[in-house]
Each structure stands twice: as C-alpha cells, then as structure tokens.
C-alpha cells in the first residue's frame, strides 16, 4: 500500500487493501493507508466508505502522539489534547514555525 501511495495507484491500493482485510480485518493500518490514498486522490466518498467499514468492523485508530524530552522531563502530546500547562506557548511556537516553513517554500503532502 505504501508503494501504491507513492505512485498514486489508487485502484491497485484498493485491491491490495481488500486482500489484507480478508486476512487481517482488525488491523487498522491498511484502513488508514487506503483512506489517506483516497483523500490524496480527492475521492472523498471512498474515504467515507473506508471510515464506515472501520466503524462497522469495530476497528479504531488510536490518536497520534509525540514525545519530546526537555531538560530531563518527558512531555507527551496527543492529537486533540489541550491539557498541557504550556499549551498556549506551544501552539504559538508551532504557528510561528509553520509560518516560517511556509515562507521557506514548504508544501505539505
């Protein structure tokens, strides 16, 4: 599926994913990869179908998270979590960095 994403081969990705679903229907990875491939191709109806299949089969994606160590203390960040005591400063810095990357010409996938 990763190669299909790189080469933009949406139809092959769908075929490969269907085979994976047969052998490992509870594995979240192929669902997420196929959904992302469809999204990159602008096939939003298919994204919805994949997400509905996940829901119907009881497959759940865990929220993304990141870790960073600062001055010997480990900080964990989870998508959508706004409970960090320095949340405002962190998001302000992320906004500043995002703007700086955009000004340098970075375009996300």
């Amino acid at each position: 599926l990763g190669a299909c994403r790189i080469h933009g081969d949406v139809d092959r990705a769908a075929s490969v994913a269907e085979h994976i679903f047969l052998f490992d229907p509870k594995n979240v990875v192929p669902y997420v990869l196929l959904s992302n491939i469809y999204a990159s191709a602008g096939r939003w109806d298919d994204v919805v179908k994949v997400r509905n299949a996940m829901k119907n089969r009881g497959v759940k994606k865990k929220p993304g998270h990141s870790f960073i160590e600062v001055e010997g203390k480990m900080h964990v960040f989870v998508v959508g979590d706004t409970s960090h005591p320095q949340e405002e400063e962190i998001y302000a810095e992320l906004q500043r960095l995002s703007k700086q990357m955009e000004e340098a010409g970075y375009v996300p996938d």
Side-chain angles (χ1 to χ4, degrees):
L1 286 173
C4 292
R5 183 187 62 79
I6 290 168
H7 295 286
D9 194 341
V10 179
D11 294 330
R12 186 174 309 225
S15 177
V16 169
E18 288 302 324
H19 283 86
I20 296 171
F21 298 153
L22 291 173
F23 293 104
D24 196 2
K26 297 292 185 182
N27 184 350
V28 70
V29 174
Y31 293 95
V32 173
L33 287 172
L34 183 59
S35 177
N36 290 344
I37 290 167
Y38 282 145
S40 293
R43 291 174 54 172
W44 302 108
D45 289 342
D46 289 322
V47 171
V48 171
K49 288 177 186 175
V50 171
R51 296 297 175 159
N52 285 338
M54 289 174 67
K55 185 177 179 180
N56 293 338
R57 296 172 185 168
V59 178
K60 295 185 179 183
K61 181 182 178 302
K62 294 180 182 177
H65 59 277
S66 299
F67 300 89
I68 184 171
E69 183 179 342
V70 178
E71 297 177 358
K73 184 175 179 186
M74 187 65 69
H75 298 267
V76 180
F77 299 93
V78 179
V79 171
D81 181 14
T82 58
S83 66
H84 194 281
Q86 293 177 291
E87 171 201 1
E88 288 183 28
E89 297 93 331
I90 291 167
Y91 280 100
E93 180 65 9
L94 287 172
Q95 186 67 30
R96 185 190 73 74
L97 290 170
S98 292
K99 184 177 179 182
Q100 186 177 0
M101 291 185 327
E102 184 180 307
E103 289 171 353
Y106 174 73
V107 178
D109 291 343

